[in-house]
Amino acid sequence: MKTLFLLLFALIISSGLWAQDFKYAFVTDTHVGSSTGEEDLRRTVADINELPDIDFIIITGDITEMGTNNELTLAKQILSGLKKPYHIIPGNHDTGWSESGGVKFITEFGGDKFTFDHNGYRFIACASGPYVRMSDGHIPRDATVWLDSVLKATPKNMPIIFANHYPLDNSLDNWYEATDRLKRYNIQYAICGHGHNNHPYNFEGIEATMGRSNLRAKDSIGGYNIVSMTKDTVFFQTKKPTQAIGAAWRKIVLKTFEDNQKKYPRPDFNINTKYANTKEVWSYHSTANVVNTPAYSSNHVIFGNSLGLIEALNKKTGKRVWVFHTGGAIYSSPVVVDNLVILGSGDGFIYALNEKTGKISWKMQTANSVLGSPVVSGKYIYIGGSDNTFRALEAKTGKVVWAFKEVEGTIVGKPLIYQGKIIFGSWGRHLYALDINSGNLVWKWNNGQANRMFSPAMVTPVAAKGIVYIAAPDRYLTAIDANNGSTLWRNKEATVRESIGLSTDSTTIYGKTMQDEIVAYKAQPQDPGVLWRYNAGFGYEHVPSMLIEKDGNIFFGTKNGVVYAINPKNQTTTWAHKIDNSMINTVNVVDGKNLVVSTMDGKVAWLNVKK
């Protein structure tokens, strides 16, 4: 009798018939910080509080417009007015321009992913970037590691509802890491935002629903969705504040999930067969995103990840030698100087660690996160932070030599030292040139765009013959007089975006276009037009991976995880190698045969080319 009872109980659970009916509110893309974002969210919070039959609220990202600390604090204050529990994840607007590298979202809301059980259903939600750099959407490496642990603890027959900001398609570079996992379980449906419209989807057999933005857009009032769960069907209905709930516009039958076993497109690594002479000597997969360029010393390769870990690998084997924990995500590319590893962290500190042991030598606290990368000149390092300050420090001690405190916006890039100046951009519309000895402002430049999303923040300037060159998100290659900051010329023929480089003889500027091409321009004070174009065939492209020339080749990475070596003399591809399917950071070229490469998904690899 006991055995029969347990069997019947298991059948009831597997059929899902035991679950009680319930409702939840599905809110997304609130964009607090945009023109109507705050008011629209306040109206929605008040409206939800008037609905007695709502059990909880799920909010699927783009909570803010630019991910600033002030916007996140305001959003938290508004959402704290909800009378029912809410569960929240960030979107690309909360992370892509974040002044804290995502740290502030976690401190405000307690995390960037969640799981909870309700009436027999397991709700699971992951964050999705990109983080601090322009790229495709990406479920963070630490989130997929976490998802594995959550699913491992989930009974195979337990019904799952999955939430994400992006749709589970190729707008995420690693969509398959979610769909492949979920299809092994009893996934019922997925919800997402990002597209700002109510829309039905099916992701490789997984039914899904995109929710409308909470913004009013061209309407007079915003809105969200009410999701009604019954024993065999889920219904989605639009709800506008103070108005009656709309008719169900989407319904999904709830049943035990069965994988249709169809084959779906997956990333293609065949390019590695074509260029078989390029090999990964070793590859290391960190537990979180790596969105910086690793440094190397005589013994180690060193980098930080988005969980705040600084890791040192054996340069020959790729095995981890030491690890140091900071208190925030790391997007700062480290430098090694005088046996010290120096970089910034999202926890607001600049760190100097012993390169051999990973023990702390000194750290200096700032007033906000430090996402910018340092550069070295002599015994000094130069680095910018999110506290509107750019600093010169003694490398040995961390003592502040000078601090320029008038930066508009967040500094996330790598500065250029040129002709006695330190030159850098920010997410505050300007490119700055400071006197390297005093820290005094020499000049600042902007492209005339009021929209800060076009700021020269992720540019890594290059310079030759008294001219500074940058490519901002406005898709111009711009030449600026290094002495006074005046604009010499701006060229948009090739739509170069944030990725440029300088030839080793300083006569040519290289650019990576947004579609397939590498282009070249003569380095000169008059607009030269495009000198040559080469179709490398890398497809649509937008990541800020700089072009590095060394030993006769130009090296760069793409959003699809491919590293290229291009011969600029005859405009041919020397080789290409795919690491994974996420953004390649600016590569560290050891010599013409060896490179250190990192990807957004946390892969770090040493590439070697056999001639």
Side-chain angles (χ1 to χ4, degrees):
M1 181 65 72
K2 183 178 180 181
T3 302
L4 179 60
F5 174 78
L6 290 174
L7 179 60
L8 289 172
F9 185 69
L11 288 171
I12 290 170
I13 290 176
S14 65
S15 68
L17 296 177
W18 69 290
Q20 301 174 19
D21 294 357
F22 64 94
K23 293 181 181 181
Y24 66 92
F26 167 28
V27 182
T28 191
D29 295 271
T30 59
H31 290 272
V32 171
S34 64
S35 58
T36 68
E38 177 183 352
E39 183 180 1
D40 291 340
L41 183 55
R42 289 189 186 278
R43 288 178 175 178
T44 288
V45 167
D47 195 64
I48 292 172
N49 285 340
E50 294 297 316
L51 303 176
D53 56 349
I54 296 297
D55 286 12
F56 55 86
I57 303 96
I58 290 179
I59 311 167
T60 59
D62 279 3
I63 313 306
T64 65
E65 181 68 4
M66 290 290 289
T68 67
N69 292 351
N70 288 339
E71 287 174 354
L72 287 164
T73 298
L74 176 59
K76 174 63 180 299
Q77 179 264 317
I78 298 169
L79 291 170
S80 294
L82 286 165
K83 295 177 182 178
K84 297 290 178 66
Y86 70 91
H87 308 274
I88 190 168
I89 51 174
N92 56 299
H93 275 255
D94 306 308
T95 58
W97 297 277
S98 168
E99 67 184 88
S100 69
V103 173
K104 182 67 172 178
F105 189 97
I106 292 171
T107 56
E108 285 288 359
F109 295 107
D112 60 359
K113 44 193 173 288
F114 64 76
T115 184
F116 67 94
D117 295 348
H118 188 81
N119 282 16
Y121 290 86
R122 178 154 292 174
F123 289 79
I124 305 172
C126 289
S128 50
Y131 282 72
V132 182
R133 306 291 190 270
M134 178 63 182
S135 185
D136 285 344
H138 182 81
I139 299 175
R141 165 69 174 158
D142 68 284
T144 58
V145 172
W146 170 84
L147 181 59
D148 281 336
S149 67
V150 171
L151 291 174
K152 185 177 180 181
T154 301
K156 287 286 186 178
N157 58 0
M158 187 173 192
I160 293 171
I161 296 165
F162 185 76
N164 198 64
H165 177 64
Y166 281 82
L168 294 179
D169 59 18
N170 60 10
S171 56
L172 286 165
D173 58 31
N174 60 342
W175 79 94
Y176 51 90
E177 294 200 84
T179 55
D180 287 353
R181 286 164 167 83
L182 293 169
K183 286 190 289 186
R184 296 197 292 266
Y185 288 80
N186 191 16
I187 177 69
Q188 297 298 292
Y189 63 89
I191 58 174
C192 68
H194 190 62
H196 286 219
N197 290 296
N198 287 333
H199 191 78
Y201 279 100
N202 185 289
F203 301 128
E204 301 183 1
I206 300 173
E207 293 290 347
T209 302
M210 175 185 284
R212 59 153 294 162
S213 168
N214 190 65
L215 295 174
R216 70 189 67 174
K218 297 179 180 180
D219 201 348
S220 59
I221 195 168
Y224 58 101
N225 273 277
I226 299 295
V227 185
S228 300
M229 301 282 293
T230 70
K231 66 179 183 179
D232 55 13
T233 309
V234 56
F235 299 92
F236 291 81
Q237 299 166 274
T238 300
K239 179 70 171 73
K240 295 182 178 181
T242 72
Q243 295 184 11
I245 189 169
W249 65 270
R250 167 78 159 139
K251 68 177 181 178
I252 299 170
V253 175
L254 301 173
K255 58 185 178 181
T256 300
F257 180 78
E258 294 183 8
D259 188 357
N260 59 24
Q261 300 298 318
K262 285 179 61 177
K263 289 190 176 297
Y264 294 94
R266 291 293 182 263
D268 183 354
F269 286 76
N270 286 336
I271 198 167
N272 294 351
T273 303
K274 182 178 181 180
Y275 299 100
N277 286 344
T278 304
K279 300 289 186 182
E280 296 176 28
V281 177
W282 52 257
S283 178
Y284 175 83
H285 206 174
S286 187
T287 56
N289 287 4
V290 174
V291 191
N292 53 78
T293 299
Y296 67 90
S297 65
S298 56
N299 296 308
H300 299 133
V301 170
I302 305 157
F303 57 91
N305 75 20
S306 60
L307 288 180
L309 275 63
I310 303 171
E311 300 181 85
L313 310 181
N314 182 291
K315 192 167 79 170
K316 292 182 178 179
T317 67
K319 302 295 184 182
R320 193 165 79 174
V321 177
W322 57 256
V323 62
F324 179 87
H325 293 254
T326 75
I330 296 171
Y331 298 94
S332 177
S333 298
V335 294
V336 178
V337 53
D338 295 332
N339 297 315
L340 294 176
V341 178
I342 302 173
L343 78 172
S345 170
D347 65 6
F349 284 91
I350 300 167
Y351 289 89
L353 308 180
N354 183 293
E355 184 268 327
K356 294 180 180 178
T357 66
K359 302 296 183 183
I360 193 163
S361 177
W362 58 259
K363 67 177 183 177
M364 195 206 74
Q365 187 172 16
T366 74
N368 205 337
S369 297
V370 183
L371 309 180
S373 298
V375 292
V376 181
S377 179
K379 59 182 181 179
Y380 303 112
I381 65 161
Y382 302 87
I383 187 169
S386 296
D387 59 350
N388 309 110
T389 303
F390 191 93
R391 295 174 174 86
L393 309 176
E394 289 184 354
K396 186 176 181 180
T397 65
K399 179 183 177 182
V400 177
V401 179
W402 54 256
F404 177 75
K405 300 182 178 181
E406 300 171 23
V407 179
E408 179 190 359
T410 302
I411 302 166
V412 293
K414 182 179 179 181
L416 168 71
I417 296 173
Y418 185 66
Q419 293 184 344
K421 303 176 189 70
I422 184 88
I423 302 167
F424 61 92
S426 78
W427 278 121
R429 299 179 298 121
H430 290 93
L431 187 77
Y432 295 84
L434 309 181
D435 182 277
I436 198 166
N437 296 313
S438 66
N440 293 330
L441 179 68
V442 179
W443 51 260
K444 65 180 182 179
W445 174 94
N446 73 67
N447 56 16
Q449 289 277 359
N451 188 339
R452 54 187 166 173
M453 292 182 185
F454 291 105
S455 299
M458 274 316 305
V459 305
T460 300
V462 299
K465 302 176 183 178
I467 303 171
V468 177
Y469 299 89
I470 65 167
D474 62 1
R475 307 178 191 184
Y476 283 88
L477 181 69
T478 301
I480 301 165
D481 190 307
N483 291 317
N484 57 30
S486 62
T487 302
L488 296 175
W489 53 266
R490 282 162 59 75
N491 185 297
K492 203 178 183 180
E493 284 180 70
T495 62
V496 174
R497 179 184 174 129
E498 297 180 300
S499 297
I500 61 172
L502 179 67
S503 63
T504 52
D505 63 6
S506 298
T507 64
T508 308
I509 307 300
Y510 302 121
K512 175 157 59 80
T513 75
M514 295 184 69
Q515 189 68 49
D516 287 320
E517 291 184 322
I518 298 299
V519 294
Y521 308 78
K522 284 186 178 180
Q524 64 183 47
Q526 298 82 32
D527 186 347
V530 176
L531 178 63
W532 55 257
R533 296 173 179 261
Y534 170 61
N535 188 328
F538 45 70
Y540 175 66
E541 175 59 26
H542 51 221
V543 304
S545 176
M546 296 295 288
L547 285 73
I548 313 295
E549 183 176 5
K550 200 160 192 175
D551 295 344
N553 280 303
I554 304 168
F555 302 92
F556 63 93
T558 70
K559 74 181 184 69
N560 296 321
V562 182
V563 183
Y564 284 85
I566 303 296
N567 185 318
K569 289 187 177 180
N570 55 24
Q571 291 107 59
T572 57
T573 299
T574 306
W575 58 261
H577 186 85
K578 188 174 178 69
I579 306 292
D580 63 22
N581 205 51
S582 67
M583 178 190 81
I584 299 283
N585 302 302
T586 296
V587 298
N588 197 333
V589 184
V590 180
D591 54 43
K593 297 181 180 180
N594 294 279
L595 292 83
V596 182
V597 180
S598 63
T599 77
M600 180 176 282
D601 199 55
K603 285 277 187 73
V604 179
W606 188 286
L607 295 187
N608 176 261
V609 184
K610 303 291 185 184
K611 296 271 178 122

